Amino acid sequence: VAAARRRLQYWDISDDQIAELERSGTVRRTLTLRSPSDGVVLQKNVVQGQAVMAGAPLFQIADLSTVWLEADVFESDLAVVRVGQHAEVAFDAYPGETVHGSVAYVYPTVDPASRTGKARIEMSNPGGRFRPGLFGAARIVAPLAGRVVAIPRQAALVTGDRQLVFVEEASGRFVPRLVTLGVETDSLIEVRSGLRAGERVVATAAFLLYLPSLGHGFVW
Protein backbone atom coordinates (compact mmCIF):
# COMPACT_ATOMS: atom_id res chain seq x y z
CA VAL A 1 0.00 0.00 0.00
CA ALA A 2 2.80 2.42 0.87
CA ALA A 3 4.56 1.68 -2.42
CA ALA A 4 1.35 2.20 -4.40
CA ARG A 5 0.68 5.48 -2.58
CA ARG A 6 4.23 6.68 -3.26
CA ARG A 7 3.95 5.76 -6.97
CA LEU A 8 0.74 7.80 -7.28
CA GLN A 9 2.42 10.74 -5.56
CA TYR A 10 5.30 10.54 -8.05
CA TRP A 11 2.68 10.87 -10.81
CA ASP A 12 1.41 14.06 -9.11
CA ILE A 13 -1.93 12.49 -8.21
CA SER A 14 -3.49 14.75 -5.58
CA ASP A 15 -3.70 13.66 -1.95
CA ASP A 16 -7.51 13.88 -1.93
CA GLN A 17 -7.74 11.41 -4.85
CA ILE A 18 -5.33 9.01 -3.14
CA ALA A 19 -7.36 9.23 0.08
CA GLU A 20 -10.59 8.53 -1.87
CA LEU A 21 -9.01 5.42 -3.44
CA GLU A 22 -8.00 4.15 -0.02
CA ARG A 23 -11.42 4.88 1.44
CA SER A 24 -13.50 3.33 -1.34
CA GLY A 25 -11.22 0.44 -2.34
CA THR A 26 -12.66 0.77 -5.87
CA VAL A 27 -10.43 0.19 -8.89
CA ARG A 28 -10.43 3.19 -11.23
CA ARG A 29 -9.17 3.26 -14.81
CA THR A 30 -8.55 7.04 -14.86
CA LEU A 31 -7.31 9.67 -12.45
CA THR A 32 -7.20 13.45 -12.74
CA LEU A 33 -3.88 15.27 -13.18
CA ARG A 34 -4.18 18.86 -12.00
CA SER A 35 -2.08 21.79 -13.12
CA PRO A 36 0.21 23.07 -10.36
CA SER A 37 -0.98 26.63 -11.08
CA ASP A 38 -3.98 28.47 -12.47
CA GLY A 39 -3.79 29.88 -15.97
CA VAL A 40 -4.80 29.65 -19.60
CA VAL A 41 -3.99 26.67 -21.83
CA LEU A 42 -1.77 28.01 -24.63
CA GLN A 43 -0.77 24.66 -26.14
CA LYS A 44 -2.38 21.20 -26.08
CA ASN A 45 -0.06 18.45 -27.33
CA VAL A 46 -2.11 15.32 -26.53
CA VAL A 47 -5.42 13.71 -27.45
CA GLN A 48 -7.54 11.20 -25.59
CA GLY A 49 -6.05 7.72 -25.66
CA GLN A 50 -2.58 8.83 -26.69
CA ALA A 51 0.38 7.16 -25.00
CA VAL A 52 2.88 9.55 -23.46
CA MET A 53 6.39 9.19 -22.14
CA ALA A 54 7.73 10.54 -18.88
CA GLY A 55 8.80 14.16 -19.26
CA ALA A 56 6.80 14.77 -22.47
CA PRO A 57 5.17 18.24 -22.54
CA LEU A 58 1.41 17.69 -22.58
CA PHE A 59 0.07 21.20 -22.09
CA GLN A 60 1.49 24.69 -21.86
CA ILE A 61 -0.31 26.80 -19.28
CA ALA A 62 0.41 30.45 -18.55
CA ASP A 63 -0.83 32.88 -15.95
CA LEU A 64 -1.85 35.91 -18.04
CA SER A 65 -2.91 38.13 -15.14
CA THR A 66 0.42 39.91 -15.72
CA VAL A 67 1.95 40.12 -19.20
CA TRP A 68 5.27 41.28 -20.66
CA LEU A 69 5.87 43.51 -23.63
CA GLU A 70 9.34 43.20 -25.15
CA ALA A 71 10.09 46.63 -26.57
CA ASP A 72 12.83 47.30 -29.13
CA VAL A 73 14.90 50.27 -27.93
CA PHE A 74 17.13 52.21 -30.30
CA GLU A 75 20.84 51.85 -29.55
CA SER A 76 21.16 55.60 -28.93
CA ASP A 77 18.46 55.43 -26.23
CA LEU A 78 19.64 52.35 -24.33
CA ALA A 79 21.92 54.31 -21.99
CA VAL A 80 18.97 56.09 -20.32
CA VAL A 81 16.61 53.11 -19.96
CA ARG A 82 16.51 51.75 -16.41
CA VAL A 83 14.57 49.13 -14.47
CA GLY A 84 11.59 50.71 -12.69
CA GLN A 85 10.94 53.48 -15.21
CA HIS A 86 7.33 54.16 -16.12
CA ALA A 87 6.13 53.08 -19.56
CA GLU A 88 3.06 53.94 -21.61
CA VAL A 89 1.95 51.31 -24.12
CA ALA A 90 -0.49 51.64 -27.02
CA PHE A 91 -1.75 48.44 -28.67
CA ASP A 92 -2.92 48.37 -32.27
CA ALA A 93 -5.87 46.25 -31.12
CA TYR A 94 -7.12 49.03 -28.82
CA PRO A 95 -6.59 52.35 -30.64
CA GLY A 96 -6.68 55.44 -28.46
CA GLU A 97 -6.16 53.48 -25.23
CA THR A 98 -3.02 53.92 -23.13
CA VAL A 99 -1.82 51.09 -20.88
CA HIS A 100 0.60 51.78 -18.04
CA GLY A 101 3.45 49.53 -17.00
CA SER A 102 7.03 49.61 -15.79
CA VAL A 103 10.40 48.43 -17.07
CA ALA A 104 11.17 45.12 -15.34
CA TYR A 105 14.34 44.11 -17.19
CA VAL A 106 16.78 45.51 -19.75
CA TYR A 107 18.43 42.81 -21.86
CA PRO A 108 22.25 42.89 -21.90
CA THR A 109 22.56 42.33 -25.67
CA VAL A 110 21.94 44.32 -28.87
CA ASP A 111 20.67 42.99 -32.19
CA PRO A 112 23.57 43.54 -34.63
CA ALA A 113 21.21 43.83 -37.61
CA SER A 114 18.61 46.29 -36.27
CA ARG A 115 20.95 48.00 -33.75
CA THR A 116 18.28 47.80 -31.07
CA GLY A 117 18.19 46.34 -27.59
CA LYS A 118 15.18 44.99 -25.72
CA ALA A 119 13.45 46.19 -22.59
CA ARG A 120 10.85 44.05 -20.84
CA ILE A 121 7.80 46.05 -19.77
CA GLU A 122 5.52 44.44 -17.20
CA MET A 123 1.80 45.25 -17.20
CA SER A 124 -1.25 44.00 -15.32
CA ASN A 125 -3.80 42.29 -17.56
CA PRO A 126 -7.26 42.36 -15.98
CA GLY A 127 -9.74 40.28 -17.93
CA GLY A 128 -7.01 38.86 -20.16
CA ARG A 129 -7.52 41.56 -22.81
CA PHE A 130 -3.84 41.71 -23.80
CA ARG A 131 -3.17 38.49 -25.64
CA PRO A 132 0.25 36.99 -26.35
CA GLY A 133 1.45 38.09 -29.78
CA LEU A 134 -0.25 41.51 -29.87
CA PHE A 135 1.74 44.33 -31.45
CA GLY A 136 2.13 47.65 -29.66
CA ALA A 137 4.30 50.72 -29.25
CA ALA A 138 5.90 51.71 -25.96
CA ARG A 139 6.98 55.08 -24.63
CA ILE A 140 9.42 54.90 -21.72
CA VAL A 141 9.75 57.97 -19.51
CA ALA A 142 13.52 58.38 -19.09
CA PRO A 143 14.78 61.76 -17.84
CA LEU A 144 18.11 62.97 -19.19
CA ALA A 145 20.96 63.65 -16.80
CA GLY A 146 22.18 67.26 -16.81
CA ARG A 147 21.82 69.89 -19.53
CA VAL A 148 22.14 68.95 -23.20
CA VAL A 149 22.06 70.69 -26.56
CA ALA A 150 18.81 69.80 -28.33
CA ILE A 151 17.21 70.74 -31.64
CA PRO A 152 13.83 70.02 -33.24
CA ARG A 153 13.69 66.53 -34.73
CA GLN A 154 12.89 67.98 -38.15
CA ALA A 155 16.18 69.92 -38.10
CA ALA A 156 18.29 66.75 -38.18
CA LEU A 157 19.02 65.01 -41.47
CA VAL A 158 20.23 61.42 -41.42
CA THR A 159 21.68 60.26 -44.73
CA GLY A 160 23.21 56.82 -44.65
CA ASP A 161 25.89 56.89 -41.96
CA ARG A 162 25.97 60.71 -41.75
CA GLN A 163 24.01 62.98 -39.44
CA LEU A 164 23.93 66.68 -40.24
CA VAL A 165 22.15 69.97 -39.67
CA PHE A 166 22.15 73.24 -41.61
CA VAL A 167 23.68 76.01 -39.49
CA GLU A 168 23.24 79.73 -40.15
CA GLU A 169 26.50 81.65 -40.63
CA ALA A 170 27.08 85.32 -39.88
CA SER A 171 26.63 86.10 -43.58
CA GLY A 172 23.14 84.65 -43.49
CA ARG A 173 24.06 81.57 -45.52
CA PHE A 174 23.15 78.08 -44.31
CA VAL A 175 25.93 75.49 -44.42
CA PRO A 176 25.74 71.77 -43.64
CA ARG A 177 27.56 70.50 -40.57
CA LEU A 178 28.15 66.95 -39.40
CA VAL A 179 26.85 66.25 -35.90
CA THR A 180 26.45 63.32 -33.56
CA LEU A 181 22.88 62.77 -32.43
CA GLY A 182 21.71 61.21 -29.20
CA VAL A 183 18.42 60.39 -27.55
CA GLU A 184 15.20 61.85 -28.88
CA THR A 185 11.72 62.72 -27.70
CA ASP A 186 8.51 63.33 -29.62
CA SER A 187 9.71 66.79 -30.66
CA LEU A 188 13.43 67.17 -29.80
CA ILE A 189 16.66 65.31 -30.40
CA GLU A 190 19.94 65.59 -28.49
CA VAL A 191 23.09 66.79 -30.27
CA ARG A 192 26.13 65.29 -28.53
CA SER A 193 28.79 66.93 -30.70
CA GLY A 194 29.15 69.28 -33.65
CA LEU A 195 26.83 72.05 -32.46
CA ARG A 196 27.10 74.67 -29.73
CA ALA A 197 24.28 76.03 -27.62
CA GLY A 198 22.86 79.21 -29.15
CA GLU A 199 23.75 78.45 -32.78
CA ARG A 200 20.85 78.85 -35.20
CA VAL A 201 19.81 75.91 -37.38
CA VAL A 202 17.17 75.31 -40.01
CA ALA A 203 14.34 73.85 -37.93
CA THR A 204 11.85 72.78 -40.60
CA ALA A 205 12.05 71.59 -44.22
CA ALA A 206 15.85 71.30 -43.97
CA PHE A 207 15.72 68.57 -46.61
CA LEU A 208 14.96 71.26 -49.22
CA LEU A 209 18.51 72.58 -48.75
CA TYR A 210 20.02 69.13 -49.07
CA LEU A 211 20.73 68.52 -52.76
CA PRO A 212 23.70 66.13 -52.95
CA SER A 213 25.57 66.43 -56.21
CA LEU A 214 27.58 63.65 -57.77
CA GLY A 215 30.75 63.57 -55.72
CA HIS A 216 30.90 67.34 -55.13
CA GLY A 217 29.42 67.74 -51.67
CA PHE A 218 26.43 70.03 -51.45
CA VAL A 219 24.94 72.59 -53.84
CA TRP A 220 22.04 74.97 -53.33
Side-chain angles (χ1 to χ4, degrees):
V1 172
R5 184 187 299 112
R6 185 163 52 251
R7 188 180 306 112
L8 291 174
Q9 290 172 341
Y10 288 157
W11 291 345
D12 290 332
I13 302 301
S14 60
D15 292 338
D16 58 334
Q17 291 187 84
I18 296 175
E20 175 61 23
L21 287 172
E22 293 179 330
R23 186 193 64 79
S24 65
T26 303
V27 176
R28 298 180 57 183
R29 291 181 57 85
T30 62
L31 292 170
T32 300
L33 294 175
R34 294 193 176 98
S35 168
S37 61
D38 294 335
V40 177
V41 176
L42 300 183
Q43 290 184 10
K44 176 178 177 292
N45 302 321
V46 291
V47 296
Q48 184 174 354
Q50 176 182 335
V52 297
M53 301 295 293
L58 308 182
F59 295 88
Q60 184 183 86
I61 300 175
D63 180 5
L64 299 181
S65 60
T66 299
V67 294
W68 294 347
L69 174 72
E70 290 191 340
D72 293 323
V73 182
F74 291 120
E75 185 177 13
S76 58
D77 297 335
L78 280 173
V80 297
V81 177
R82 298 284 189 276
V83 172
Q85 289 172 335
H86 179 72
E88 299 173 352
V89 180
F91 288 103
D92 290 355
Y94 304 103
E97 180 178 344
T98 300
V99 184
H100 299 277
S102 61
V103 177
Y105 183 70
V106 180
Y107 289 76
T109 57
V110 172
D111 187 323
S114 64
R115 307 310 304 170
T116 59
K118 286 189 179 296
R120 180 193 301 162
I121 299 173
E122 189 173 284
M123 303 170 294
S124 60
N125 186 24
R129 296 174 65 237
F130 310 127
R131 299 171 175 84
L134 282 181
F135 183 81
R139 177 180 177 179
I140 300 174
V141 181
L144 296 177
R147 297 171 61 88
V148 299
V149 175
I151 59 175
R153 290 183 60 178
Q154 297 87 342
L157 294 175
V158 179
T159 59
D161 59 350
R162 295 189 299 179
Q163 302 168 333
L164 58 92
V165 297
F166 281 89
V167 183
E168 183 181 18
E169 290 187 331
S171 62
R173 298 175 69 248
F174 294 99
V175 296
R177 185 185 299 174
L178 294 177
V179 295
T180 301
L181 302 177
V183 297
E184 56 185 283
T185 67
D186 290 339
S187 58
L188 299 174
I189 186 168
E190 177 192 8
V191 180
R192 293 178 174 171
S193 65
L195 192 67
R196 298 187 304 273
E199 288 189 291
R200 291 170 57 85
V201 300
V202 177
T204 58
F207 64 91
L208 295 177
L209 296 177
Y210 175 56
L211 299 174
S213 63
L214 297 177
H216 298 287
F218 299 91
V219 295
W220 54 86

